[in-house]
Amino acid sequence: MDWSGKTALVRVDFNVPMLNGQVADDTRIRAALPTLRYLREHGAKVVLLSHLGRPDGKPADKFSLRPVADRAAELLGAPCTFATDCVGPAAEDAVSATGAGEVVLLENVRFHAEEEANDSGFAGQLAGLGDVFVNDAFGTAHRAHASTAGLAEFMPAVAGLLMAKEIVVIGTALEDPKRPFVAIVGGAKVSSKLAVLENLIARVDRLLIGGGMANTFLKAQGREVGQSLLEPDLVEAATNLLALGNKIVLPTDVVVTTDLKGSAPPRTCSADQVGPEEMIVDIGPASVGVFRIEIGHAGTVLWNGPMGVFEDPRFAAGTLAVAHAMADSSATTIVGGGESVQAVEQAGLADRLTHVSTGGGASLEFIEGKVLPGVAALKGDCS
Ligand code: 3PG
Ligand code: MG
């Protein structure tokens, strides 16, 4: 696009963790910087739209984006002014006062119920503030809201650089991966990731399963899992997935405890020696060895979900080992959102991976193979 003299209405996902009125984690703000810098350098006036939290259609101080504007300015090394509303006179005045190459962040779009309702009158009001809609909010692309999808009805709509990177990197892994393609899926429940597993199994060469969800698969193989988290209703689904060839790799050994909340050292045992009082809380060292080999041989690795209760250092070894194996691998390595991102950040390994997604729910829905409304809205004639 030719940006000179244009106002870019940029939807970002600045829905960042806050603590005591301050930004507690600025990863999502940093991830948007390439788009903001690009637009500034090309002479656009940059008007930022975002939500923060779930204020339910009403203004609320604790969901104000004002502290986020301050952090954005620090990271940008340039002013980021703030408007107390995203529509109406406050927004219009702030946009008028912003010059070419300057940046203004408008207040939380979810302070208006019309945002989540994808109200077209509201989208039209937002659209009146700019010339081109730039959607860089991959993290919110699974929502069909006024500022994520509705705006595209009113103006040319293009992907920002972060959005494009997310779609290209994760999309290529799903559609045309460098093989072997290894997916690692963890987290507590099969139920929340069944669609992910079903979509991945058709595409990957290996599917490594850890975390609480592995218990349901172990059960499907006839093993006893003691007091471990188990979803009896999903044992049949797990059995069906296991029957689809030999792609699934389960932990062969596990870390168990009878003392989840305490500090007793855990025990490591074979996956078929879990006692009736014990609970599986991590994958064991032999499983780590197998996972490491699979990751080492891969052309593409896609990871979502921790291997155990990694918030507790006693049960974090498996998750951290996967993070390290990915960092050491020469494969295209992708961490698809949520808690596995936290693990990678904690271990200081994010820079050594090809891509760490800014999407939680959005990454999951993308990996499920769903159409993301915020992406679908961009398809079409932008001329
Ligand atoms: C997220 O962090 O999940 C996105 O910013 C979307 O927020 P939401 O789940 O409240 O729609
Ligand atoms: Mg969410």
Side-chain angles (χ1 to χ4, degrees):
M1 308 254 349
D2 174 12
W3 289 104
S4 62
K6 297 248 171 64
T7 298
L9 204 49
V10 188
R11 180 44 157 108
V12 286
D13 188 344
F14 284 176
N15 182 30
V16 295
M18 304 289 290
L19 191 67
N20 304 323
Q22 298 292 316
V23 174
D25 178 345
D26 60 14
T27 308
R28 281 180 166 178
I29 306 174
R30 283 186 283 113
L33 291 177
T35 298
L36 308 189
R37 292 201 179 107
Y38 179 95
L39 289 168
R40 294 185 64 221
E41 282 163 14
H42 288 76
K45 180 193 285 203
V46 182
V47 178
L48 303 178
L49 302 172
S50 182
H51 75 288
L52 177 66
R54 294 180 173 171
D56 250 344
K58 301 178 292 290
D61 280 349
K62 69 170 182 166
F63 295 118
S64 174
L65 281 166
R66 188 185 287 276
V68 177
D70 296 339
R71 178 61 67 90
E74 276 168 37
L75 293 170
L76 211 51
C80 174
T81 55
F82 179 73
T84 56
D85 201 350
C86 64
V87 288
E92 287 155 18
D93 293 350
V95 171
S96 305
T98 305
E102 295 178 350
V103 182
V104 58
L105 172 63
L106 309 187
E107 184 58 289
N108 198 335
V109 287
R110 289 192 186 170
F111 284 180
H112 297 266
E114 294 88 343
E115 161 65 4
E116 292 186 64
N118 194 4
D119 179 86
S120 75
F122 180 70
Q125 271 184 283
L126 291 173
L129 299 169
D131 302 308
V132 180
F133 170 40
V134 179
N135 193 350
D136 214 21
F138 176 74
T140 322
H142 56 320
R143 308 291 183 217
H145 295 170
S147 70
T148 63
L151 271 176
E153 304 287 328
F154 292 87
M155 59 209 306
V158 298
L161 299 174
L162 172 62
M163 175 72 93
K165 184 174 179 227
E166 294 269 13
I167 300 295
V168 168
V169 177
I170 304 175
T172 302
L174 294 173
E175 299 300 333
D176 186 23
K178 188 146 61 103
R179 293 189 182 274
F181 178 17
V182 174
I184 311 157
V185 182
K189 291 182 171 174
V190 178
S191 51
S192 59
K193 291 191 189 160
L194 187 58
V196 166
L197 295 170
E198 286 172 345
N199 191 38
L200 284 177
I201 195 114
R203 300 171 186 273
V204 300
D205 299 295
R206 281 275 184 277
L207 180 53
L208 318 181
I209 297 180
M213 67 165 62
N215 307 336
T216 299
F217 284 85
L218 292 171
K219 185 74 180 176
Q221 287 186 328
R223 297 173 209 267
E224 291 311 322
V225 295
Q227 299 301 308
S228 306
L229 194 80
L230 177 72
E231 292 175 284
D233 293 354
L234 284 139
V235 171
E236 193 184 331
T239 305
N240 294 339
L241 284 167
L242 286 166
L244 295 173
N246 54 0
K247 290 181 176 177
I248 294 181
V249 180
L250 294 176
T252 52
D253 65 341
V254 289
V255 174
V256 295
T257 187
T258 52
D259 185 30
L260 184 64
K261 299 277 178 241
S263 57
R267 181 176 90 90
T268 297
C269 67
S270 158
D272 43 24
Q273 283 167 358
V274 179
E277 303 303 323
E278 290 176 321
M279 176 185 285
I280 300 172
V281 285
D282 197 3
I283 60 174
S287 309
V288 163
V290 172
F291 283 22
R292 182 177 272 286
I293 289 170
E294 294 289 354
I295 293 166
H297 289 161
T300 305
V301 186
L302 175 64
W303 179 28
N304 185 294
M307 298 292 100
V309 188
F310 81 105
E311 312 83 87
D312 186 326
R314 293 176 298 161
F315 316 136
T319 301
L320 293 176
V322 165
H324 279 277
M326 287 182 71
D328 292 343
S329 157
S330 57
T332 300
T333 46
I334 304 165
V335 182
E339 285 183 309
S340 22
V341 172
Q342 252 175 294
V344 160
E345 299 275 356
Q346 258 174 41
L349 297 171
D351 292 348
R352 291 176 56 200
L353 303 173
T354 307
H355 184 63
V356 178
S357 179
T358 55
S363 296
L364 277 183
E365 292 197 18
F366 193 31
I367 298 169
E368 284 172 10
K370 283 198 190 143
V371 171
L372 304 182
V375 178
L378 302 177
K379 291 195 176 144
D381 184 7
C382 296
S383 57

PDB file of all heavy atoms in Angstrom, residues 15 28 51 54 110 139 142-143 360-362, ligand 2:
ATOM      1  N   ASN A  15      -4.192  -7.049  24.515  1.00  0.00           N
ATOM      2  CA  ASN A  15      -4.824  -7.685  25.677  1.00  0.00           C
ATOM      3  C   ASN A  15      -3.721  -8.400  26.449  1.00  0.00           C
ATOM      4  O   ASN A  15      -3.515  -9.594  26.327  1.00  0.00           O
ATOM      5  CB  ASN A  15      -5.880  -8.680  25.189  1.00  0.00           C
ATOM      6  CG  ASN A  15      -6.603  -9.351  26.334  1.00  0.00           C
ATOM      7  OD1 ASN A  15      -6.756  -8.764  27.411  1.00  0.00           O
ATOM      8  ND2 ASN A  15      -7.038 -10.582  26.124  1.00  0.00           N
ATOM      9  N   ARG A  28       3.097  -9.102  23.697  1.00  0.00           N
ATOM     10  CA  ARG A  28       2.198  -8.786  22.580  1.00  0.00           C
ATOM     11  C   ARG A  28       2.420  -7.374  22.043  1.00  0.00           C
ATOM     12  O   ARG A  28       2.192  -7.129  20.863  1.00  0.00           O
ATOM     13  CB  ARG A  28       0.740  -8.963  23.005  1.00  0.00           C
ATOM     14  CG  ARG A  28       0.304 -10.414  23.007  1.00  0.00           C
ATOM     15  CD  ARG A  28      -1.135 -10.548  23.435  1.00  0.00           C
ATOM     16  NE  ARG A  28      -1.657 -11.875  23.131  1.00  0.00           N
ATOM     17  CZ  ARG A  28      -2.875 -12.266  23.446  1.00  0.00           C
ATOM     18  NH1 ARG A  28      -3.713 -11.442  24.064  1.00  0.00           N
ATOM     19  NH2 ARG A  28      -3.292 -13.481  23.136  1.00  0.00           N
ATOM     20  N   HIS A  51      -8.625  -4.387  22.497  1.00  0.00           N
ATOM     21  CA  HIS A  51      -9.413  -4.622  23.703  1.00  0.00           C
ATOM     22  C   HIS A  51      -8.434  -4.958  24.817  1.00  0.00           C
ATOM     23  O   HIS A  51      -7.246  -5.210  24.558  1.00  0.00           O
ATOM     24  CB  HIS A  51     -10.427  -5.754  23.505  1.00  0.00           C
ATOM     25  CG  HIS A  51      -9.820  -7.135  23.507  1.00  0.00           C
ATOM     26  ND1 HIS A  51      -9.046  -7.608  22.457  1.00  0.00           N
ATOM     27  CD2 HIS A  51      -9.824  -8.136  24.430  1.00  0.00           C
ATOM     28  CE1 HIS A  51      -8.645  -8.838  22.714  1.00  0.00           C
ATOM     29  NE2 HIS A  51      -9.082  -9.179  23.918  1.00  0.00           N
ATOM     30  N   ARG A  54     -12.187  -8.475  29.657  1.00  0.00           N
ATOM     31  CA  ARG A  54     -13.583  -8.688  29.277  1.00  0.00           C
ATOM     32  C   ARG A  54     -14.497  -7.773  30.088  1.00  0.00           C
ATOM     33  O   ARG A  54     -15.190  -8.209  31.005  1.00  0.00           O
ATOM     34  CB  ARG A  54     -13.954 -10.158  29.490  1.00  0.00           C
ATOM     35  CG  ARG A  54     -13.187 -11.068  28.545  1.00  0.00           C
ATOM     36  CD  ARG A  54     -13.529 -12.517  28.728  1.00  0.00           C
ATOM     37  NE  ARG A  54     -12.883 -13.322  27.691  1.00  0.00           N
ATOM     38  CZ  ARG A  54     -12.855 -14.653  27.685  1.00  0.00           C
ATOM     39  NH1 ARG A  54     -13.435 -15.330  28.657  1.00  0.00           N
ATOM     40  NH2 ARG A  54     -12.260 -15.295  26.700  1.00  0.00           N
ATOM     41  N   ARG A 110     -13.886  -2.789  23.816  1.00  0.00           N
ATOM     42  CA  ARG A 110     -14.921  -3.564  24.516  1.00  0.00           C
ATOM     43  C   ARG A 110     -15.641  -2.755  25.593  1.00  0.00           C
ATOM     44  O   ARG A 110     -16.477  -3.306  26.308  1.00  0.00           O
ATOM     45  CB  ARG A 110     -14.331  -4.855  25.109  1.00  0.00           C
ATOM     46  CG  ARG A 110     -13.983  -5.872  24.046  1.00  0.00           C
ATOM     47  CD  ARG A 110     -13.679  -7.239  24.647  1.00  0.00           C
ATOM     48  NE  ARG A 110     -13.218  -8.163  23.615  1.00  0.00           N
ATOM     49  CZ  ARG A 110     -12.697  -9.363  23.873  1.00  0.00           C
ATOM     50  NH1 ARG A 110     -12.562  -9.762  25.129  1.00  0.00           N
ATOM     51  NH2 ARG A 110     -12.307 -10.143  22.890  1.00  0.00           N
ATOM     52  N   GLY A 139      -3.964 -12.669  17.848  1.00  0.00           N
ATOM     53  CA  GLY A 139      -4.480 -13.227  19.099  1.00  0.00           C
ATOM     54  C   GLY A 139      -5.983 -13.106  19.255  1.00  0.00           C
ATOM     55  O   GLY A 139      -6.588 -13.816  20.060  1.00  0.00           O
ATOM     56  N   HIS A 142      -9.786 -15.066  16.200  1.00  0.00           N
ATOM     57  CA  HIS A 142     -10.865 -16.060  16.302  1.00  0.00           C
ATOM     58  C   HIS A 142     -12.175 -15.424  16.766  1.00  0.00           C
ATOM     59  O   HIS A 142     -13.158 -16.113  16.979  1.00  0.00           O
ATOM     60  CB  HIS A 142     -10.468 -17.216  17.223  1.00  0.00           C
ATOM     61  CG  HIS A 142     -10.064 -16.808  18.623  1.00  0.00           C
ATOM     62  ND1 HIS A 142      -9.306 -15.695  18.891  1.00  0.00           N
ATOM     63  CD2 HIS A 142     -10.310 -17.376  19.825  1.00  0.00           C
ATOM     64  CE1 HIS A 142      -9.107 -15.608  20.192  1.00  0.00           C
ATOM     65  NE2 HIS A 142      -9.711 -16.610  20.777  1.00  0.00           N
ATOM     66  N   ARG A 143     -12.182 -14.105  16.937  1.00  0.00           N
ATOM     67  CA  ARG A 143     -13.414 -13.395  17.332  1.00  0.00           C
ATOM     68  C   ARG A 143     -13.951 -12.618  16.135  1.00  0.00           C
ATOM     69  O   ARG A 143     -13.194 -11.898  15.475  1.00  0.00           O
ATOM     70  CB  ARG A 143     -13.114 -12.401  18.465  1.00  0.00           C
ATOM     71  CG  ARG A 143     -12.383 -12.993  19.657  1.00  0.00           C
ATOM     72  CD  ARG A 143     -13.254 -13.943  20.440  1.00  0.00           C
ATOM     73  NE  ARG A 143     -12.574 -14.458  21.617  1.00  0.00           N
ATOM     74  CZ  ARG A 143     -12.705 -15.715  22.061  1.00  0.00           C
ATOM     75  NH1 ARG A 143     -13.482 -16.572  21.417  1.00  0.00           N
ATOM     76  NH2 ARG A 143     -12.069 -16.104  23.129  1.00  0.00           N
ATOM     77  N   GLY A 360      -3.415 -17.479  21.826  1.00  0.00           N
ATOM     78  CA  GLY A 360      -3.763 -18.614  22.677  1.00  0.00           C
ATOM     79  C   GLY A 360      -4.904 -19.351  21.995  1.00  0.00           C
ATOM     80  O   GLY A 360      -4.699 -20.267  21.193  1.00  0.00           O
ATOM     81  N   GLY A 361      -6.124 -18.871  22.288  1.00  0.00           N
ATOM     82  CA  GLY A 361      -7.302 -19.452  21.643  1.00  0.00           C
ATOM     83  C   GLY A 361      -7.228 -19.382  20.122  1.00  0.00           C
ATOM     84  O   GLY A 361      -7.635 -20.322  19.429  1.00  0.00           O
ATOM     85  N   ALA A 362      -6.680 -18.291  19.600  1.00  0.00           N
ATOM     86  CA  ALA A 362      -6.612 -18.136  18.139  1.00  0.00           C
ATOM     87  C   ALA A 362      -5.696 -19.194  17.520  1.00  0.00           C
ATOM     88  O   ALA A 362      -6.026 -19.776  16.482  1.00  0.00           O
ATOM     89  CB  ALA A 362      -6.119 -16.738  17.780  1.00  0.00           C
TER      90      ALA A 362
HETATM   91 MG    MG B   2      -8.913 -15.901  25.143  1.00  0.00          MG
END
